Amino acid sequence: MNVTEIDSELQEIINGCLNNDRLSQHRLYDRYAPRMYGVCLRYANGREEAEDMLMEGFMRVYKSLPTFRWESSFNTWIYSVMVNTAVSHYRSVKRFRKELFSDDVVEGEEFAEEENIVASLAAKQLLEMLEQMPDGMRLVFNLKAVEEYSFQEIAEKLGKKENAIRICYMRARKWLMERIGE
């Protein structure tokens, strides 16, 4: 299949979804669920929660499809829907612990130069470690290290102070580095 055939097939699937065609919705899910499940796993507290996020994310995709204008790639658009779903999921279940977002720097904590933590681990190892990371830390770490949002953007998304996000990210990195060293 060439790119034009793939694009026309995707357009056909999306048009079907816009018309509430269940087969088209199923085809869209089958096509993107494996990759989007990986996104959800990075934010989830386990596989069951990732599956919930995935389902919630696809419901948002179907609902938001009329807003997709082909100005960016569909892959980019659906990816951002899934990330935003993960953020909303945490906000709705109120999983944030206030101490993770405090503005106070604990003595001995410093914000060091960016390290490439993600690249030093196999994907499976990283996912296992991220599943164990406290929820708020995992969310901030993913948004910064993986999605590459700025601290300001993360603060705006989460309704927190930018400095609190910086400190939470620093603590997440420290937490991860301690596990890597074990």
Side-chain angles (χ1 to χ4, degrees):
M1 242 187 238
N2 64 39
V3 176
T4 308
E5 290 171 350
I6 292 171
D7 289 346
S8 65
E9 180 185 349
L10 180 58
Q11 280 185 308
E12 179 185 320
I13 292 170
I14 290 173
N15 287 336
C17 290
L18 289 169
N19 292 318
N20 294 318
D21 177 58
R22 297 286 181 222
L23 180 60
S24 295
Q25 290 172 345
H26 185 69
R27 288 174 61 202
L28 187 71
Y29 180 86
D30 286 346
R31 187 173 184 162
Y32 287 95
R35 281 181 279 171
M36 296 306 111
Y37 180 66
V39 172
C40 294
L41 265 177
R42 283 199 318 267
Y43 289 92
N45 213 11
R47 297 192 183 286
E48 197 171 298
E49 188 174 43
E51 290 168 6
D52 290 345
M53 282 182 193
L54 183 68
M55 290 300 118
E56 184 180 338
F58 268 95
M59 295 307 291
R60 286 183 180 198
V61 165
Y62 300 138
K63 184 178 180 182
S64 301
L65 266 176
T67 67
F68 179 66
R69 302 280 179 240
W70 297 98
E71 293 166 359
S72 63
S73 79
F74 188 75
N75 288 335
T76 302
W77 182 82
I78 194 170
Y79 188 90
S80 69
V81 170
M82 289 297 165
V83 169
N84 288 330
T85 299
V87 170
S88 295
H89 177 80
Y90 281 106
R91 292 179 103 188
S92 69
V93 295
K94 300 192 187 306
R95 290 178 170 247
F96 297 117
R97 293 180 12 211
K98 288 185 181 184
E99 65 268 17
L100 293 177
F101 294 103
S102 107
D103 285 340
D104 302 324
V105 176
V106 176
E107 192 173 318
E109 287 184 335
E110 299 173 4
F111 196 73
E113 288 295 312
E114 190 67 25
E115 299 170 34
N116 198 351
I117 296 170
V118 178
S120 69
L121 299 172
K124 185 176 180 181
Q125 289 175 303
L126 180 60
L127 281 175
E128 289 170 359
M129 287 183 181
L130 287 176
E131 282 181 9
Q132 297 168 14
M133 187 180 278
D135 294 342
M137 282 184 186
R138 180 175 53 245
L139 179 62
V140 171
F141 180 81
N142 275 309
L143 290 171
K144 179 65 179 155
V146 180
E147 310 301 340
E148 299 180 344
Y149 283 100
S150 71
F151 289 116
Q152 181 180 353
E153 291 170 322
I154 297 168
E156 289 170 5
K157 274 186 174 299
L158 302 179
K160 303 288 180 185
K161 293 181 181 176
E162 185 176 339
N163 193 45
I165 298 300
R166 287 178 184 274
I167 292 167
C168 182
Y169 178 68
M170 178 181 56
R171 289 177 180 162
R173 288 179 55 227
K174 181 179 176 183
W175 184 95
L176 194 55
M177 292 303 289
E178 287 171 356
R179 267 81 193 158
I180 291 171
E182 290 175 358

